[in-house]
Amino acid sequence: MLTSRWTRAGLGLVVPVLVLAAWQISTAAGIFSPVQLPSPSAVYTAAADLIGRGQLGNHVAISTQRVLIGFAAGGLLGLALGAVLGLSRLADILLGPMIGALRAVPSLAWVPLLILWLKIGEDSKITLIAIGAFFPVFTTVSLALRHVDRNLVEAARAFGLNGLKLLTTVQLPAVVPAVFSGLRLALAQSWLFLVAAELIASSMGLGFLLTDSQNNGRTDRLLLAIILLAVIGKITDALLGLAEKKAVAKWA
């Protein structure tokens, strides 16, 4: 039964439904004040109000656009540098320690520097998201390439494959599952970095909606932003998961 797609989807909804029920019961019983925890109907009303004003769609669209662009840029750079360090011992010795140190820098620590360098436009926000997406892809690709079966590589070289041809034909296909694991982690990280990115003088986006709602005491809108981040993040991860299945079936 657990192999059925619809069964798994139904079981996956059990916990969210239970959480929603507990949320409704706790607010109806007065356990929490409306400021601490608005009811689900209050959050729905806040969503309807923002939709009626034509604002909610814009918040979702601009945040999604920033995440996808930053994820694409950071993922591609992580794939390229991960391949270089995974295949070259010299590059790993030269660049590995520095990249490892940069990976430990918290996301908010980049904000003042990016504002100084790139001002407060879209470039600084997308760059911060790209930084968040870069490290998971870089780490998984570089580690996976170091552990590609040497016999497989030697067999490919015996057939005349070398350099970029060897990488694209043998080595990268051999690490497709690891690459997609890194990409899915990078996508999740991109959504995490979005909130920090939208602290950079934003007037639109779900991160802006979070901070603006906090400043104005609108807990209903704050919860709405959190729910939307969770739902959209899950949808994008599911789409990437479908791409992973197709890629693994084709190349792995």
Side-chain angles (χ1 to χ4, degrees):
M1 290 179 61
L2 296 180
T3 59
S4 170
R5 180 183 303 176
W6 295 108
T7 301
R8 286 185 283 119
L11 290 174
L13 290 174
V14 170
V15 173
V17 169
L18 291 175
V19 170
L20 183 63
W23 178 10
Q24 177 62 43
I25 292 169
S26 63
T27 54
I31 298 174
F32 300 99
S33 70
V35 175
Q36 291 177 310
L37 184 66
S39 66
S41 60
V43 175
Y44 175 81
T45 301
D49 178 58
L50 288 173
I51 291 172
R53 296 167 183 258
Q55 296 178 1
L56 188 59
N58 291 333
H59 285 308
V60 171
I62 192 65
S63 288
T64 303
Q65 175 182 291
R66 286 167 178 161
V67 166
L68 293 181
I69 295 174
F71 166 69
L76 287 173
L77 185 59
L79 182 61
L81 277 181
V84 170
L85 270 69
L87 297 173
S88 171
R89 182 65 178 166
L90 177 60
D92 183 40
I93 293 171
L94 290 174
L95 299 175
M98 184 185 71
I99 295 176
L102 291 175
R103 183 171 50 199
V105 177
S107 60
L108 288 177
W110 293 103
V111 172
L113 189 62
L114 291 175
I115 292 176
L116 179 64
W117 285 354
L118 302 174
K119 309 307 179 187
I120 59 174
E122 287 297 298
D123 290 345
S124 55
K125 299 175 181 61
I126 290 172
T127 300
L128 182 59
I129 295 170
I131 291 171
F134 167 80
F135 290 106
V137 179
F138 164 80
T139 302
T140 54
V141 171
S142 60
L143 289 176
L145 283 173
R146 289 176 203 162
H147 295 90
V148 173
D149 189 346
R150 293 185 179 273
N151 293 327
L152 182 64
V153 174
E154 291 302 324
R157 285 175 174 160
F159 282 96
L161 297 179
N162 288 291
L164 185 61
K165 188 69 174 177
L166 176 65
L167 174 65
T168 56
T169 305
V170 176
Q171 291 167 309
L172 280 182
V175 297
V176 162
V179 169
F180 273 93
S181 294
L183 288 173
R184 294 181 77 167
L185 287 172
L187 183 58
Q189 191 87 329
S190 297
W191 284 106
L192 293 175
F193 271 58
L194 171 72
V195 177
E198 290 184 340
L199 291 175
I200 307 176
S202 290
S203 59
M204 291 296 296
L206 293 174
F208 165 77
L209 184 61
L210 270 173
T211 54
D212 183 65
S213 300
Q214 179 189 16
N215 294 335
N216 292 294
R218 292 297 305 268
T219 316
D220 51 352
R221 291 186 177 182
L222 191 150
L223 284 172
L224 173 63
I226 293 173
I227 292 169
L228 287 173
L229 285 168
V231 170
I232 299 171
K234 176 56 181 175
I235 290 172
T236 53
D237 179 73
L239 292 174
L240 192 56
L242 292 175
E244 178 184 6
K245 288 181 180 179
K246 293 182 178 179
V248 169
K250 182 176 181 180
W251 290 307

